[in-house]
Amino acid sequence: MVILKLKKLEKESIRRGIPIIGSERGEFLLKIIREEKPKEILELGTANGYSGCILGSEGGKLLTVELAEKSAGEAKENFKKFKINAEIIFGDAVEVVKKLNKKFDLIFIDFAKKNYIDVLEDCIRLTNKTIIADNINVDDCRDFKKTILSHPLLETEIININDGIGYSRKKQILK
Ligand SMILES: C[S@@+](CC[C@H](N)C(=O)[O-])C[C@H]1O[C@@H](n2cnc3c(N)ncnc32)[C@H](O)[C@@H]1O
């Protein structure tokens, strides 16, 4: 099971102070991946690839964005080690999402908390179905949390694991 396989990377990341989602939130992410079976996945905030290894563990194709070159390099090694079909974009997620034009089945937002609100409309445009956002109960996410809970195109629930996970499904509009 992927969470067990990632145990060493989890421990090492905690020891080095790398803010990964860890196994408890990882289990939630894995449950969603298994239920929804997303083929195309976008992640904002790669770090060393811990959550990316979970997101891509069921064979989906992962595109992940990271601003720190060293982290992106470590993620590349981890994706290779755990045989994850992943492409890393090295850059600012706020700028990158503006330029993306393909659709994703699932988007995982886990980068600079105060910038979540800046990528929300692009993420809604880019997703077919699901947006998951980590640390939703922290102060820097207050506007983002308020917006996803009242957005006309989203149905959102807050999962109370650690400092909260926003789980939003895009409403299907019949034309
Ligand atoms: C919480 S960590 C990501 C953890 C990772 N998702 C995991 O659980 O394994 C946040 C990451 O976002 C990156 N980051 C911060 N601001 C960013 C930005 N504007 N664009 C892209 N990445 C950014 C940081 O360098 C850091 O590696």
Side-chain angles (χ1 to χ4, degrees):
M1 199 237 204
V2 64
I3 303 287
L4 287 178
K5 281 193 207 159
L6 292 172
K7 207 73 212 168
K8 191 167 163 230
L9 180 62
E10 182 188 7
K11 279 191 183 160
E12 208 180 285
S13 306
I14 293 167
R15 186 183 58 76
R16 293 173 58 206
I18 301 169
I20 57 158
I21 54 164
S23 49
E24 197 182 358
R25 281 169 290 174
E27 294 275 8
F28 170 76
L29 217 51
L30 184 61
K31 178 176 153 288
I32 301 299
I33 294 292
R34 287 188 168 156
E35 281 169 11
E36 299 190 5
K37 302 186 177 22
K39 288 192 173 71
E40 300 285 341
I41 303 162
L42 174 66
E43 177 182 55
L44 308 181
T46 320
N48 60 2
Y50 177 87
S51 55
C53 288
I54 296 170
L55 291 166
S57 62
E58 295 288 305
K61 194 171 152 214
L62 175 71
L63 180 65
T64 180
V65 187
E66 174 56 54
L67 191 60
E69 199 171 359
K70 186 166 179 275
S71 303
E74 287 188 26
K76 191 177 170 195
E77 291 304 312
N78 285 321
F79 292 146
K80 195 171 155 196
K81 183 172 169 187
F82 293 99
K83 298 184 173 58
I84 301 300
N85 180 5
E87 184 188 336
I88 305 170
I89 297 182
F90 169 49
D92 181 348
V94 178
E95 298 307 316
V96 171
V97 289
K98 287 181 193 161
K99 292 176 196 144
L100 288 174
N101 259 319
K102 62 183 284 193
K103 290 283 185 189
F104 296 90
D105 305 305
L106 186 145
I107 300 177
F108 179 52
I109 306 176
D110 188 22
F111 72 123
K113 309 306 155 197
K114 64 178 181 343
N115 292 129
Y116 280 21
I117 191 73
D118 303 326
V119 296
L120 179 58
E121 285 304 322
D122 279 307
C123 288
I124 294 172
R125 172 179 64 82
L126 291 169
T127 191
N128 285 322
K129 193 173 179 191
T130 298
I131 299 171
I132 298 176
D134 195 22
N135 312 106
I136 199 82
N137 290 333
V138 304
D139 263 5
D140 281 347
C141 285
R142 196 181 302 145
D143 287 349
F144 177 85
K145 181 178 171 183
K146 204 172 144 199
T147 310
I148 56 171
L149 284 169
S150 59
H151 200 289
L153 289 177
L154 298 176
E155 270 171 19
T156 296
E157 50 185 303
I158 305 296
I159 313 293
N160 284 312
I161 307 176
N162 297 87
D163 41 17
I165 298 173
Y167 178 35
S168 304
R169 260 75 49 93
K170 189 172 176 177
K171 290 180 188 165
Q172 301 303 315
I173 310 289
L174 297 174
K175 288 184 184 151

